Amino acid sequence: MTPAVPGLTFHMEMGPMSECEKRLLFSSDEIARHVERLAREISEDYQDGDVVIVGILKGVFIFLADLVRQLTIPVEIDFVRLASYGSGTTSSGTVRLTHDVELNLAGRDILIVEDIVDSGITLTFLREHLLSRRPRSLRICALVDKGERRSVKVDLDYVGLHLDKGFVVGYGLDCKECYRYLPAIYELIL
Ligand code: 5GP
């Protein structure tokens, strides 16, 4: 028999929901409140800006989409793709740029938008890389600031949520490419 919603049947029978236990950490309402606050702060700070938002794929795609739709200032948007985690839950310690920004950044106000900061290695690498494009300014916005394993000091200008430790999924964040579609953020019980 053809299921009414084939994708749903797939997830129920053999999808990621059955792979790991998870615990709700941040509900979609709580996330939305913080995204709204961040959008307000950013819009106020960049009244006279020439802003290019640089999102870090893939994890940022839902956060960035929600954030930019609440900004009250014009922005341009570009993306980078960085590889540091592979398919595991701990950093490899090295970062590789696999897709670079295409917009011209010289003399402009860059706002890096990241899903979650852990060791700080990814953002430090990207910050240095983008500074070489000679922007007028560069700031960083992160949805989640996870403190436990910070090994490189990185100044975050806008932070949505704080987390001590744990590996989280949902709202764009994955574990081996699963869970990105979940509307809230969960801690995986590994
Ligand atoms: P960092 O270089 O700061 O150690 O790691 C940043 C990147 O690692 C994030 O962009 C994200 O891709 C990944 N990461 C770090 N912590 C988590 C986590 O708790 N969950 C998920 N899904 N990814 C994480």
Side-chain angles (χ1 to χ4, degrees), residues 84-85 91 114-122 146 166-168 173-174:
S84 63
Y85 262 64
S91 174
E114 168 70 307
D115 49 11
I116 184 166
V117 190
D118 189 6
S119 68
I121 292 170
T122 301
K146 182 165 74 172
F167 191 82
V168 294
L173 289 156
D174 78 313

PDB file of all heavy atoms in Angstrom, residues 84-85 91 114-122 146 166-168 173-174, ligand 1:
ATOM      1  N   SER A  84      34.816  20.704   9.783  1.00  0.00           N
ATOM      2  CA  SER A  84      35.708  20.496  10.921  1.00  0.00           C
ATOM      3  C   SER A  84      35.296  19.275  11.728  1.00  0.00           C
ATOM      4  O   SER A  84      36.126  18.642  12.349  1.00  0.00           O
ATOM      5  CB  SER A  84      35.727  21.715  11.841  1.00  0.00           C
ATOM      6  OG  SER A  84      34.454  21.931  12.401  1.00  0.00           O
ATOM      7  N   TYR A  85      34.002  18.935  11.691  1.00  0.00           N
ATOM      8  CA  TYR A  85      33.526  17.864  12.558  1.00  0.00           C
ATOM      9  C   TYR A  85      33.441  16.516  11.877  1.00  0.00           C
ATOM     10  O   TYR A  85      33.260  15.520  12.546  1.00  0.00           O
ATOM     11  CB  TYR A  85      32.151  18.226  13.141  1.00  0.00           C
ATOM     12  CG  TYR A  85      32.258  18.783  14.522  1.00  0.00           C
ATOM     13  CD1 TYR A  85      32.923  19.970  14.738  1.00  0.00           C
ATOM     14  CD2 TYR A  85      31.750  18.097  15.606  1.00  0.00           C
ATOM     15  CE1 TYR A  85      33.056  20.483  15.993  1.00  0.00           C
ATOM     16  CE2 TYR A  85      31.873  18.595  16.881  1.00  0.00           C
ATOM     17  CZ  TYR A  85      32.523  19.799  17.071  1.00  0.00           C
ATOM     18  OH  TYR A  85      32.660  20.298  18.320  1.00  0.00           O
ATOM     19  N   SER A  91      35.372  17.752  17.675  1.00  0.00           N
ATOM     20  CA  SER A  91      36.092  18.462  16.627  1.00  0.00           C
ATOM     21  C   SER A  91      37.361  17.728  16.227  1.00  0.00           C
ATOM     22  O   SER A  91      38.050  17.138  17.049  1.00  0.00           O
ATOM     23  CB  SER A  91      36.471  19.869  17.130  1.00  0.00           C
ATOM     24  OG  SER A  91      37.273  20.508  16.175  1.00  0.00           O
ATOM     25  N   GLU A 114      26.617  32.029  12.946  1.00  0.00           N
ATOM     26  CA  GLU A 114      27.007  30.624  13.219  1.00  0.00           C
ATOM     27  C   GLU A 114      25.924  29.954  14.058  1.00  0.00           C
ATOM     28  O   GLU A 114      25.249  30.625  14.853  1.00  0.00           O
ATOM     29  CB  GLU A 114      28.368  30.656  13.954  1.00  0.00           C
ATOM     30  CG  GLU A 114      28.836  29.359  14.592  1.00  0.00           C
ATOM     31  CD  GLU A 114      29.247  28.291  13.596  1.00  0.00           C
ATOM     32  OE1 GLU A 114      28.437  27.989  12.706  1.00  0.00           O
ATOM     33  OE2 GLU A 114      30.350  27.734  13.742  1.00  0.00           O
ATOM     34  N   ASP A 115      25.768  28.654  13.903  1.00  0.00           N
ATOM     35  CA  ASP A 115      24.765  27.958  14.705  1.00  0.00           C
ATOM     36  C   ASP A 115      25.226  27.777  16.148  1.00  0.00           C
ATOM     37  O   ASP A 115      24.535  28.154  17.086  1.00  0.00           O
ATOM     38  CB  ASP A 115      24.410  26.600  14.062  1.00  0.00           C
ATOM     39  CG  ASP A 115      25.644  25.772  13.693  1.00  0.00           C
ATOM     40  OD1 ASP A 115      26.765  26.119  14.101  1.00  0.00           O
ATOM     41  OD2 ASP A 115      25.475  24.758  12.989  1.00  0.00           O
ATOM     42  N   ILE A 116      26.408  27.179  16.342  1.00  0.00           N
ATOM     43  CA  ILE A 116      26.868  26.881  17.706  1.00  0.00           C
ATOM     44  C   ILE A 116      28.385  27.007  17.778  1.00  0.00           C
ATOM     45  O   ILE A 116      29.085  26.624  16.847  1.00  0.00           O
ATOM     46  CB  ILE A 116      26.389  25.467  18.146  1.00  0.00           C
ATOM     47  CG1 ILE A 116      26.778  25.171  19.590  1.00  0.00           C
ATOM     48  CG2 ILE A 116      26.871  24.375  17.212  1.00  0.00           C
ATOM     49  CD1 ILE A 116      26.049  23.966  20.186  1.00  0.00           C
ATOM     50  N   VAL A 117      28.860  27.585  18.871  1.00  0.00           N
ATOM     51  CA  VAL A 117      30.311  27.723  19.084  1.00  0.00           C
ATOM     52  C   VAL A 117      30.713  26.765  20.175  1.00  0.00           C
ATOM     53  O   VAL A 117      30.127  26.773  21.260  1.00  0.00           O
ATOM     54  CB  VAL A 117      30.687  29.156  19.517  1.00  0.00           C
ATOM     55  CG1 VAL A 117      32.195  29.326  19.494  1.00  0.00           C
ATOM     56  CG2 VAL A 117      30.003  30.182  18.661  1.00  0.00           C
ATOM     57  N   ASP A 118      31.730  25.969  19.886  1.00  0.00           N
ATOM     58  CA  ASP A 118      32.193  24.969  20.846  1.00  0.00           C
ATOM     59  C   ASP A 118      33.635  25.305  21.223  1.00  0.00           C
ATOM     60  O   ASP A 118      33.874  26.120  22.112  1.00  0.00           O
ATOM     61  CB  ASP A 118      32.060  23.588  20.195  1.00  0.00           C
ATOM     62  CG  ASP A 118      32.303  22.438  21.147  1.00  0.00           C
ATOM     63  OD1 ASP A 118      32.463  22.681  22.346  1.00  0.00           O
ATOM     64  OD2 ASP A 118      32.322  21.274  20.684  1.00  0.00           O
ATOM     65  N   SER A 119      34.615  24.738  20.537  1.00  0.00           N
ATOM     66  CA  SER A 119      36.019  25.050  20.865  1.00  0.00           C
ATOM     67  C   SER A 119      36.389  26.482  20.481  1.00  0.00           C
ATOM     68  O   SER A 119      37.278  27.086  21.061  1.00  0.00           O
ATOM     69  CB  SER A 119      36.949  24.079  20.138  1.00  0.00           C
ATOM     70  OG  SER A 119      36.903  24.306  18.738  1.00  0.00           O
ATOM     71  N   GLY A 120      35.717  27.019  19.471  1.00  0.00           N
ATOM     72  CA  GLY A 120      36.058  28.353  18.959  1.00  0.00           C
ATOM     73  C   GLY A 120      36.990  28.300  17.756  1.00  0.00           C
ATOM     74  O   GLY A 120      37.283  29.322  17.135  1.00  0.00           O
ATOM     75  N   ILE A 121      37.443  27.107  17.412  1.00  0.00           N
ATOM     76  CA  ILE A 121      38.423  26.944  16.332  1.00  0.00           C
ATOM     77  C   ILE A 121      37.828  27.342  14.980  1.00  0.00           C
ATOM     78  O   ILE A 121      38.463  28.056  14.181  1.00  0.00           O
ATOM     79  CB  ILE A 121      38.943  25.483  16.300  1.00  0.00           C
ATOM     80  CG1 ILE A 121      39.781  25.205  17.550  1.00  0.00           C
ATOM     81  CG2 ILE A 121      39.773  25.216  15.039  1.00  0.00           C
ATOM     82  CD1 ILE A 121      40.148  23.738  17.753  1.00  0.00           C
ATOM     83  N   THR A 122      36.597  26.932  14.720  1.00  0.00           N
ATOM     84  CA  THR A 122      35.956  27.231  13.429  1.00  0.00           C
ATOM     85  C   THR A 122      35.840  28.737  13.220  1.00  0.00           C
ATOM     86  O   THR A 122      36.211  29.272  12.163  1.00  0.00           O
ATOM     87  CB  THR A 122      34.549  26.586  13.387  1.00  0.00           C
ATOM     88  OG1 THR A 122      34.687  25.179  13.574  1.00  0.00           O
ATOM     89  CG2 THR A 122      33.858  26.867  12.073  1.00  0.00           C
ATOM     90  N   LYS A 146      28.352  27.419  23.508  1.00  0.00           N
ATOM     91  CA  LYS A 146      28.581  26.250  24.381  1.00  0.00           C
ATOM     92  C   LYS A 146      29.967  26.372  24.990  1.00  0.00           C
ATOM     93  O   LYS A 146      30.963  26.321  24.278  1.00  0.00           O
ATOM     94  CB  LYS A 146      28.454  24.971  23.551  1.00  0.00           C
ATOM     95  CG  LYS A 146      28.615  23.705  24.354  1.00  0.00           C
ATOM     96  CD  LYS A 146      28.123  22.486  23.605  1.00  0.00           C
ATOM     97  CE  LYS A 146      29.057  22.070  22.496  1.00  0.00           C
ATOM     98  NZ  LYS A 146      28.673  20.780  21.899  1.00  0.00           N
ATOM     99  N   GLY A 166      27.291  19.233  26.350  1.00  0.00           N
ATOM    100  CA  GLY A 166      26.362  18.319  25.682  1.00  0.00           C
ATOM    101  C   GLY A 166      26.427  18.493  24.174  1.00  0.00           C
ATOM    102  O   GLY A 166      26.958  19.487  23.674  1.00  0.00           O
ATOM    103  N   PHE A 167      25.898  17.509  23.462  1.00  0.00           N
ATOM    104  CA  PHE A 167      25.846  17.585  22.004  1.00  0.00           C
ATOM    105  C   PHE A 167      24.391  17.754  21.602  1.00  0.00           C
ATOM    106  O   PHE A 167      23.540  16.938  21.944  1.00  0.00           O
ATOM    107  CB  PHE A 167      26.436  16.323  21.364  1.00  0.00           C
ATOM    108  CG  PHE A 167      26.641  16.488  19.885  1.00  0.00           C
ATOM    109  CD1 PHE A 167      27.764  17.129  19.392  1.00  0.00           C
ATOM    110  CD2 PHE A 167      25.678  16.041  18.994  1.00  0.00           C
ATOM    111  CE1 PHE A 167      27.938  17.317  18.026  1.00  0.00           C
ATOM    112  CE2 PHE A 167      25.843  16.228  17.621  1.00  0.00           C
ATOM    113  CZ  PHE A 167      26.975  16.869  17.145  1.00  0.00           C
ATOM    114  N   VAL A 168      24.105  18.864  20.907  1.00  0.00           N
ATOM    115  CA  VAL A 168      22.713  19.202  20.624  1.00  0.00           C
ATOM    116  C   VAL A 168      22.386  19.074  19.138  1.00  0.00           C
ATOM    117  O   VAL A 168      23.264  19.218  18.281  1.00  0.00           O
ATOM    118  CB  VAL A 168      22.369  20.625  21.134  1.00  0.00           C
ATOM    119  CG1 VAL A 168      22.449  20.680  22.648  1.00  0.00           C
ATOM    120  CG2 VAL A 168      23.266  21.685  20.508  1.00  0.00           C
ATOM    121  N   LEU A 173      20.771  21.913  13.341  1.00  0.00           N
ATOM    122  CA  LEU A 173      21.956  21.185  13.827  1.00  0.00           C
ATOM    123  C   LEU A 173      21.768  19.676  13.642  1.00  0.00           C
ATOM    124  O   LEU A 173      20.694  19.143  13.926  1.00  0.00           O
ATOM    125  CB  LEU A 173      22.178  21.488  15.304  1.00  0.00           C
ATOM    126  CG  LEU A 173      22.658  22.901  15.599  1.00  0.00           C
ATOM    127  CD1 LEU A 173      22.303  23.295  17.021  1.00  0.00           C
ATOM    128  CD2 LEU A 173      24.150  22.994  15.371  1.00  0.00           C
ATOM    129  N   ASP A 174      22.838  19.021  13.222  1.00  0.00           N
ATOM    130  CA  ASP A 174      22.724  17.596  12.903  1.00  0.00           C
ATOM    131  C   ASP A 174      23.615  16.719  13.766  1.00  0.00           C
ATOM    132  O   ASP A 174      24.503  17.200  14.484  1.00  0.00           O
ATOM    133  CB  ASP A 174      23.128  17.357  11.437  1.00  0.00           C
ATOM    134  CG  ASP A 174      24.648  17.374  11.266  1.00  0.00           C
ATOM    135  OD1 ASP A 174      25.305  18.297  11.799  1.00  0.00           O
ATOM    136  OD2 ASP A 174      25.194  16.463  10.619  1.00  0.00           O
TER     137      ASP A 174
HETATM  138  P1  5GP B   1      34.094  24.610  17.090  1.00  0.00           P
HETATM  139  O1  5GP B   1      35.077  24.852  15.996  1.00  0.00           O
HETATM  140  O2  5GP B   1      33.657  25.871  17.797  1.00  0.00           O
HETATM  141  O3  5GP B   1      34.589  23.560  18.048  1.00  0.00           O
HETATM  142  O4  5GP B   1      32.824  23.930  16.437  1.00  0.00           O
HETATM  143  C1  5GP B   1      31.865  24.627  15.755  1.00  0.00           C
HETATM  144  C2  5GP B   1      31.092  23.703  14.836  1.00  0.00           C
HETATM  145  O5  5GP B   1      31.015  22.396  15.386  1.00  0.00           O
HETATM  146  C3  5GP B   1      29.662  24.158  14.678  1.00  0.00           C
HETATM  147  O6  5GP B   1      29.513  24.952  13.542  1.00  0.00           O
HETATM  148  C4  5GP B   1      28.913  22.856  14.538  1.00  0.00           C
HETATM  149  O7  5GP B   1      28.914  22.469  13.184  1.00  0.00           O
HETATM  150  C5  5GP B   1      29.741  21.864  15.297  1.00  0.00           C
HETATM  151  N1  5GP B   1      29.217  21.646  16.666  1.00  0.00           N
HETATM  152  C6  5GP B   1      29.769  22.009  17.831  1.00  0.00           C
HETATM  153  N2  5GP B   1      29.020  21.637  18.869  1.00  0.00           N
HETATM  154  C7  5GP B   1      27.927  21.019  18.332  1.00  0.00           C
HETATM  155  C8  5GP B   1      26.760  20.429  18.904  1.00  0.00           C
HETATM  156  O8  5GP B   1      26.532  20.376  20.128  1.00  0.00           O
HETATM  157  N3  5GP B   1      25.868  19.909  18.015  1.00  0.00           N
HETATM  158  C9  5GP B   1      26.058  19.935  16.668  1.00  0.00           C
HETATM  159  N4  5GP B   1      25.104  19.385  15.920  1.00  0.00           N
HETATM  160  N5  5GP B   1      27.139  20.487  16.103  1.00  0.00           N
HETATM  161  C10 5GP B   1      28.067  21.034  16.932  1.00  0.00           C
END
